[in-house]
Amino acid sequence: MHNDIAEVLHHETTILSRLDAMARDIMRDYKDKPLTVVAILNGGLILMADLLRRVQLPLKIETVSVASYHGGTESSGTVTFNQSRLPDLSGQHVILLDDILDSGRTLHAIRERFAAECHPESMRICVLLRKLKERSCAVSSDYTGFDIGDEFVVGYGLDYMGRYRNLPYIGVLKPEAIAAPTTP
Ligand code: IMP
Ligand code: MG
């Protein structure tokens, strides 16, 4: 797995200390407010576990499962909800949590659907990574771990064809690993 990585962008220690700061910002903003954090699966899984254990507030956790990538390194453009039951968010201040803000389609689609069907009090967006590029949908993040260039990265929740999510750091894949994945 590690052999497929050309360059490490952010090491685990750097990520975790950034999460400490993000958690402090969230605690400051949501003290005394009913907070539900909705993690977007599967990419938001690792961030959810590490970030929310640092947030010392009586929050609730929900998940939503969507697919917007179908195997490659380019977004498909359509966002499919893998579940029919959405969380009831009435009266709740909500943070949507995802691994990365890329084209913006995923977070845009979830935010629109939640606004129409789940009745949250407010909604904000938190991502570990924000790609600096022009987005297809107007979405901005309220809490951001790191800004990165427009390149394909893996690790810390981010996958290529379902793999590499469990890398503890964020790295750039070698071109040969994209061309021919070594792991069966
Ligand atoms: P969107 O283009 O903002 O809708 O991003 C959709 C999803 O694409 C994200 O939640 C990620 O799961 C995935 N994605 C976007 N960029 C990358 C990347 O560089 N590596 C791995 N997954 C990515
Ligand atoms: Mg994903």
Side-chain angles (χ1 to χ4, degrees), residues 100-114:
I100 192 164
L101 175 57
D102 183 13
S103 73
R105 287 193 194 97
T106 305
L107 282 159
H108 180 77
I110 295 171
R111 192 175 61 186
E112 293 300 297
R113 184 130 184 234
F114 278 15

Side-chain angles (χ1 to χ4, degrees), residues 49 84 135 159 165 181:
S84 47
R135 299 193 209 295
D159 72 302
R165 291 192 199 276

Side-chain angles (χ1 to χ4, degrees), residues 25 28-30 33 93-97 107 111 122-126 140-143:
D25 290 345
R28 176 199 62 207
D29 295 347
Y30 289 93
K33 288 184 180 166
H93 294 275
V94 171
I95 298 178
L96 299 177
L97 203 68
L107 282 159
R111 192 175 61 186
S122 71
M123 259 191 293
R124 282 188 179 168
I125 287 173
C126 173
S140 54
S141 55
D142 303 286
Y143 305 95

Side-chain angles (χ1 to χ4, degrees), residues 20-69:
D20 286 335
M22 292 167 79
R24 279 196 295 273
D25 290 345
I26 291 171
M27 286 190 275
R28 176 199 62 207
D29 295 347
Y30 289 93
K31 190 175 175 292
D32 300 325
K33 288 184 180 166
L35 172 62
T36 297
V37 179
V38 183
I40 299 164
L41 301 178
N42 295 322
L45 207 49
I46 311 280
L47 176 65
M48 175 183 85
D50 281 350
L51 176 66
L52 297 188
R53 280 181 296 174
R54 289 167 162 75
V55 177
Q56 303 298 311
L57 292 176
L59 55 82
K60 292 197 266 190
I61 299 177
E62 294 279 358
T63 57
V64 63
S65 172
V66 299
S68 53
Y69 257 72

Side-chain angles (χ1 to χ4, degrees), residues 81-97:
F81 283 74
N82 297 329
Q83 66 198 67
S84 47
R85 191 202 74 88
L86 295 179
D88 177 13
L89 302 173
S90 43
Q92 292 293 301
H93 294 275
V94 171
I95 298 178
L96 299 177
L97 203 68

